[in-house]
Amino acid sequence: MLAAATGDVKRRSFFREWILTVDHKKIGIMYAVTAIVFFFIGGLAALFIRTQLAMPGNMIIPPDMFNQAFTMHGTIMIFLWIIPMLTGAFGNYLVPIMIGAHDMAFPKMNALSYWLFLLGGLVLMSSFVVGAIPEVGWTAYPPYSIQSQGAGLDLWVTSVHILGLSSILAAINFIVTTFNMRAPGMTMNRMPLFVWANLVTSFIQLFGTPALAGAVTTLLMDRHLKTTFYDVAAGGDPMLYQHLFWFYSHPAVYVMIVPAMGIVSEIIPVFARKPIFGYKAIAYSSIMIGLLGFLVWAHHMFVAGMQLSAGIPFMITSLIIAVPTAIKIFNWLASLWGGQINYTTPMLYVTFGFIGLFTVGGLSGIVLGNVPLDLHLHDTYFVVAHFHYVLFGGSMMAIIAGTYFWFPKVTGKMYKESTAKIIFWTYFIGTNLTFFPMHMIGLNGMPRRVFVYTPDLTFLNQISTAGAFLVGLASLAFVIQICVATMKGEKASANPWNANTLEWTNASSPPTEFNFEALPIVTEDPYQYGEKPGKSKGNIA
Amino acid sequence: MERFLWLPEAIGKTASEIDGLFNLTFAIALVVFVLVEALLVIFMIRFKRKAPGKEGRYIEGSTKAEVIWTLIPAIILVVLGIYSSGMVYTIQETPSDVYEIKVVGMKWAWEFEYPNGAKSMNDLRIPEGKNVLFKITSKDVIHSFWVPEFRLKQDAVPGRETQFVLYAQDVENLNQKYEKRVICAEYCGNAHSKMLADFTIMPAGEFDTWVAEEKTRKKTDGYSIALANGCTSCHSIDGSKGAGPTWKGLLGSERELANGQKVVVDEAYIKESILDPNAKVAKGVTGVMPAYQLDDETIGYLVKYFEELK
């Protein structure tokens, strides 16, 4: 048993403890807390949207406010919630400790990444204060975005730039850390799968983000410096922006799902009490997703004015990217087979939650990636249903699963299982009620980003609105439970799940400042669970 | 209700082909869905922990299994991709005998121009039995021309011409007005949701008469002019809130401008607001109105209509 951090650690002021910290764990926690605040702002925007859509001709919210609501909802959820939560919070907290390092390779740069993230978020939030909320959609297509009035778009672009810098710095930090800071014996193929996922994600961020920076910079230049990248009258072309934008923003989808898949791969073996099935297949399929992810961007543009047949190569890559995803799903299912499955809350979220719901989003992706079908479905609610099954059914379920799973490690406390399970089922039902009807709504002719619609679709929309409020309730309950458990939960042991990765076996709960008492030496693969014939249960030294 | 659980009515050869592909893809997806969910639920129940502390079986993986579940999806997807590629070329082809209709998207209305020069606003008429080629462009920002019944859409991009073909086929509902089924699918501002047009498929003879008359017909009824120019997307006529001020009780009223001045809404003010909407913006209006080049006579008819709304 490891010595817990006890009274001999000097108490430091809040300022020294948090504001000046370069500890990857504290930075991870700061990312998580900040991102959750943004999640609630983005969630309120979503409830705003669903309230308006509860009736076909509602006028609760004027059209310009509705447009601001969906713009902020998309921007906040992507840039200020899912990406910072997965790469910032989980990545920062877990990567060093999982590979047996004391900290990130560049701890100060790591702190800078966080503060830039906060700054970028505050710049976007300042639009509420100055009353210039962007209303251009999170995609900000020109020429519409260039013509928009007020400072909203300028704030949006500034914010995206700052957040992009934060992402690039974090990506470099993760790559260097993962390659150089591994403990003795921690070969690449002994790295936990979350570390693999985070590594691939970092490369995607590093190569993709500059394209986004270029795209939004040209918007700003067209607006203020009289350049004509997108001005048709002067020979510009609005489609250039779409290429640049999606060259980042489609890979960004994998930034939001690959680390989530990493979390799933960590949790399943612990509670199935089995080694992960097909470690290398899961690890390397992430690389395949990362590479192919850069070759599918124009499937967002099948109807944007390209020749239809120019979409064919992108259709083929978009269909093929389903293969590495399928590999993961089948390996996870095989990991369950022959297990002794422990029904804990994190396990429910990754199995019924992630596998169950992400599959729906993956399959509707095959429908949308198909050029002839996209002619009908592009920019409809079918698309909205698709990416919410991926991001809410997928990423979100993994985020909550990971929060419960590492909660004892981070806080040193336990949460209450029975309450957590009720919250899970509320989420599960709410998610399906909200997003499943959107498939049919889209098929029947409701486009995205509209604030009124034909009365035929009222019932389906009302189911969706009801579901959204259920999800809102579950989210509130989730955060309350986490707060209550942090303050009043029972004390957790160093390894309450009997897990095998280094953060559980070699660190206390919560870990000490430099993670380990002594440098870990790794002698075995990370998922040595289960009854080995003729050998007792293995463990990491 | 059940009508809305699946695809809407299909019009045109392409729509039927796309529906066929949709059904095929859906069937494949359904099989995979049932397989994954069934295995998930069965494994979760079958392998529930029997006793605390009991460990699962030590199985690290199987190359054979990996090969199977990599190759089978890959083959299915590549075959589906090749089959769909063939259809892409078919849809892209333009037959030699086409009737061309020009579609212009603008904030916030659809204009349709026929080969004889006749134009209709927010009212698309299609002759039965002809292959219709839609040539699509935009006057301002990007819109997207979508008719769910055709299963086709193309963005209306300024400075660019996109197109698609609606193939002739037997149509059941001749002369039926499909209200608001020409839809803008690309977000384009405050009245994006209301950028809708009707379409009607007419018997060829009736269509010819209509299109010939339409060319010379001068609109004199204010309401039709308002409708045709898309004014009602933002301005209500019953006092309800919209992106722009309502027209009910507008004429003769006094209103405050954004700069604090007060003006009386008379014919001159209305004319100015149509030709140069940003000159005197009413207080509290956040929507942006594009300029409309209407002649004095047409504006006169509109003002006459406003009289009725007092």
Side-chain angles (χ1 to χ4, degrees):
Chain A
M1 190 61 211
L2 293 155
T6 43
D8 56 332
V9 177
K10 251 188 287 171
R11 297 283 302 172
R12 283 175 247 175
S13 68
F14 176 82
F15 186 74
R16 271 190 176 280
E17 188 83 15
W18 294 97
I19 309 292
L20 295 182
T21 188
V22 291
D23 178 352
H24 72 100
K25 297 183 293 299
K26 293 218 168 101
I27 293 172
I29 294 168
M30 280 152 71
Y31 260 110
V33 171
T34 315
I36 284 177
V37 172
F38 287 133
F39 167 69
F40 274 88
I41 300 172
L44 279 179
L47 291 182
F48 228 58
I49 296 170
R50 284 312 326 168
T51 307
Q52 166 71 15
L53 294 177
M55 294 298 285
N58 235 349
M59 265 306 185
I60 294 175
I61 294 157
D64 48 336
M65 255 172 94
F66 183 85
N67 299 339
Q68 291 163 347
F70 71 69
T71 301
M72 291 306 260
H73 171 67
T75 310
I76 291 172
M77 289 307 196
I78 292 166
F79 293 121
L80 300 180
W81 163 240
I82 298 182
I83 293 180
M85 190 66 192
L86 283 173
T87 65
F90 285 105
N92 256 305
Y93 199 97
L94 295 175
V95 167
I97 199 165
M98 277 182 158
I99 60 171
H102 290 315
D103 206 318
M104 297 283 279
F106 309 112
K108 285 180 184 160
M109 189 164 94
N110 196 25
L112 179 62
S113 294
Y114 168 76
W115 291 107
L116 283 173
F117 157 63
L118 181 64
L119 177 66
L122 291 178
V123 167
L124 191 68
M125 293 305 126
S126 73
S127 65
F128 288 113
V129 182
V130 301
I133 307 168
E135 43 81 52
V136 293
W138 86 276
T139 48
Y141 275 14
Y144 181 75
S145 57
I146 293 171
Q147 295 164 9
S148 80
Q149 308 282 308
L153 182 84
D154 303 329
L155 289 170
W156 183 86
V157 170
T158 312
S159 164
V160 168
H161 258 298
I162 298 170
L163 295 170
L165 180 60
S166 163
S167 285
I168 291 173
L169 294 180
I172 294 171
N173 216 339
F174 282 128
I175 291 169
V176 176
T177 305
T178 309
F179 280 120
N180 291 335
M181 308 277 287
R182 279 173 285 129
M186 177 65 79
T187 58
M188 291 296 274
N189 283 332
R190 277 185 189 157
M191 292 196 312
L193 288 162
F194 178 78
V195 179
W196 266 109
N198 191 74
L199 182 65
V200 171
T201 305
S202 300
F203 275 106
I204 300 175
Q205 292 270 56
L206 187 61
F207 293 126
T209 315
L212 178 69
V216 299
T217 306
T218 46
L219 280 188
L220 216 54
M221 288 167 76
D222 264 17
R223 244 165 102 82
H224 299 296
L225 302 176
K226 304 261 182 290
T227 56
T228 55
F229 290 100
Y230 309 122
D231 182 354
V232 176
D237 184 357
M239 268 179 73
L240 170 66
Y241 175 84
Q242 300 177 23
H243 281 293
L244 289 170
F245 180 83
W246 289 114
F247 189 78
Y248 164 77
S249 295
H250 195 79
V253 174
Y254 300 109
V255 169
M256 292 185 272
I257 200 68
V258 171
M261 292 167 157
I263 291 174
V264 175
S265 304
E266 291 303 327
I267 293 174
I268 285 182
V270 174
F271 296 118
R273 306 312 302 168
K274 272 188 70 197
I276 191 90
F277 194 95
Y279 170 91
K280 284 186 182 169
I282 293 182
Y284 300 166
S285 60
S286 295
I287 302 178
M288 198 171 149
I289 292 178
L291 290 173
L292 278 173
F294 276 104
L295 300 173
V296 300
W297 80 89
H299 70 211
H300 294 270
M301 300 169 61
F302 286 155
V303 302
M306 306 196 304
Q307 198 178 16
L308 276 194
S309 51
I312 290 175
F314 295 98
M315 165 169 74
I316 303 287
T317 49
S318 305
L319 293 176
I320 288 180
I321 206 163
V323 174
T325 314
I327 291 174
K328 285 183 196 284
I329 299 263
F330 288 125
N331 275 300
W332 290 328
L333 288 175
S335 301
L336 297 176
W337 187 80
Q340 288 289 330
I341 298 167
N342 199 350
Y343 275 44
T344 58
T345 307
M347 191 61 166
L348 293 180
Y349 273 101
V350 296
T351 51
F352 296 122
F354 189 101
I355 301 177
L357 301 180
F358 174 77
T359 302
V360 178
L363 291 170
S364 59
I366 292 175
V367 176
L368 286 166
N370 198 312
V371 177
L373 303 181
D374 191 56
L375 288 176
H376 177 54
L377 296 172
H378 191 82
D379 271 339
T380 65
Y381 257 84
F382 192 90
V383 179
V384 180
H386 160 69
F387 65 71
H388 279 99
Y389 263 95
V390 172
L391 295 179
F392 211 101
S395 312
M396 185 72 187
M397 291 291 159
I399 287 173
I400 305 174
T403 307
Y404 280 116
F405 182 63
W406 282 290
F407 181 80
K409 179 53 58 183
V410 174
T411 60
K413 304 281 178 64
M414 287 304 284
Y415 61 89
K416 221 173 137 205
E417 280 286 355
S418 53
T419 318
K421 281 179 186 165
I422 295 171
I423 297 174
F424 167 72
W425 289 110
T426 315
Y427 256 125
F428 184 84
I429 295 166
T431 305
N432 284 300
L433 285 181
T434 312
F435 301 116
F436 201 81
M438 290 183 181
H439 291 109
M440 286 86 91
I441 292 172
L443 283 182
N444 277 287
M446 181 159 157
R448 294 171 71 175
R449 298 173 170 180
V450 291
F451 68 98
V452 289
Y453 55 91
T454 136
D456 308 340
L457 300 173
T458 310
F459 181 62
L460 289 171
N461 270 294
Q462 283 171 344
I463 297 176
S464 177
T465 298
F469 278 92
L470 206 54
V471 167
L473 195 70
S475 302
L476 207 59
F478 163 62
V479 170
I480 291 173
Q481 194 195 8
I482 290 297
C483 292
V484 169
T486 306
M487 289 182 289
K488 296 187 179 167
E490 279 175 43
K491 211 167 147 32
S493 65
N495 191 358
W497 310 125
N498 195 13
N500 250 2
T501 38
L502 292 178
E503 80 274 25
W504 299 109
T505 53
N506 286 38
S508 55
S509 294
T512 50
E513 186 165 1
F514 294 106
N515 298 346
F516 309 105
E517 294 289 291
L519 192 66
I521 295 166
V522 183
T523 56
E524 268 186 335
D525 293 342
Y527 306 110
Q528 296 294 306
Y529 306 98
E531 304 265 356
K532 247 186 210 175
K535 194 189 165 207
S536 64
K537 188 180 149 290
N539 215 330
I540 295 175
Chain B
M1 179 61 215
E2 61 267 63
R3 188 164 92 68
F4 300 106
L5 297 181
W6 202 246
L7 290 157
E9 182 189 347
I11 296 176
K13 175 170 77 94
T14 311
S16 319
E17 284 171 5
I18 289 177
D19 283 3
L21 181 63
F22 181 84
N23 292 337
L24 172 72
T25 314
F26 182 81
I28 295 171
L30 190 65
V31 171
V32 178
F33 173 78
V34 171
L35 180 78
V36 170
E37 305 292 346
L39 288 179
L40 175 66
V41 173
I42 292 169
F43 288 178
M44 287 297 283
I45 294 171
R46 165 77 181 73
F47 298 109
K48 192 169 177 183
R49 199 174 216 178
K50 304 290 179 298
K54 207 163 158 39
E55 291 284 292
R57 288 168 61 182
Y58 187 90
I59 310 165
E60 281 193 306
S62 149
T63 314
K64 207 165 123 191
E66 300 292 344
V67 171
I68 291 171
W69 63 52
T70 306
L71 279 186
I72 292 178
I75 291 168
I76 294 173
L77 289 166
V78 168
V79 170
L80 184 67
I82 293 170
Y83 174 71
S84 311
S85 303
M87 192 178 284
V88 172
Y89 285 108
T90 318
I91 297 172
Q92 186 173 263
E93 235 167 65
T94 310
S96 51
D97 55 326
V98 288
Y99 183 84
E100 195 179 307
I101 298 178
K102 211 176 156 197
V103 180
V104 183
M106 64 191 79
K107 284 182 186 171
W108 285 280
W110 293 105
E111 182 187 81
F112 304 101
E113 190 181 336
Y114 303 86
N116 68 348
K119 285 181 184 175
S120 66
M121 291 290 272
N122 289 337
D123 179 17
L124 171 63
R125 308 287 180 116
I126 298 163
E128 189 209 10
K130 284 184 182 162
N131 300 323
V132 180
L133 172 68
F134 293 97
K135 292 222 163 186
I136 306 147
T137 190
S138 165
K139 257 188 194 168
D140 36 52
V141 299
I142 301 174
H143 305 278
S144 193
F145 177 58
W146 178 34
V147 184
E149 279 70 21
F150 301 170
R151 307 286 189 272
L152 292 168
K153 86 162 61 67
Q154 278 291 308
D155 281 6
V157 186
R160 196 181 271 267
E161 204 172 61
T162 55
Q163 62 173 56
F164 64 68
V165 179
L166 174 69
Y167 284 92
Q169 69 156 31
D170 293 330
V171 181
E172 281 169 39
N173 302 316
L174 280 180
N175 277 336
Q176 183 198 319
K177 191 180 240 186
Y178 286 79
E179 277 178 43
K180 299 181 175 175
R181 290 306 268 178
V182 176
I183 296 169
C184 176
E186 180 68 55
Y187 172 63
C188 56
N190 279 346
H192 162 59
S193 317
K194 296 187 174 178
M195 189 167 157
L196 305 165
D198 306 332
F199 80 89
T200 314
I201 300 178
M202 303 170 84
E206 274 178 50
F207 175 84
D208 290 341
T209 321
W210 176 83
V211 83
E213 277 175 7
E214 193 66 15
K215 190 180 164 151
T216 48
R217 198 160 66 89
K218 182 94 190 154
K219 290 202 171 69
T220 56
D221 147 38
Y223 179 64
S224 309
I225 294 169
L227 216 53
N229 284 289
C231 309
T232 47
S233 303
C234 298
H235 302 280
S236 75
I237 54 171
D238 58 1
S240 62
K241 247 193 314 183
T246 181
W247 284 348
K248 191 175 170 64
L250 175 71
L251 194 66
S253 66
E254 193 188 63
R255 71 151 45 151
E256 205 177 335
L257 299 180
N259 60 12
Q261 278 181 323
K262 283 191 176 153
V263 291
V264 174
V265 178
D266 54 10
E267 185 162 353
Y269 175 76
I270 287 172
K271 187 177 167 187
E272 185 182 14
S273 296
I274 292 171
L275 299 176
D276 184 9
N278 293 326
K280 287 174 187 160
V281 182
K283 192 176 179 181
V285 172
T286 49
V288 186
M289 177 172 154
Y292 288 86
Q293 298 306 319
L294 304 182
D295 55 35
D296 286 358
E297 199 187 335
T298 311
I299 292 174
Y301 293 127
L302 269 177
V303 173
K304 218 167 90 190
Y305 174 58
F306 290 167
E307 294 271 358
E308 293 167 29
L309 292 174
K310 261 181 164 171

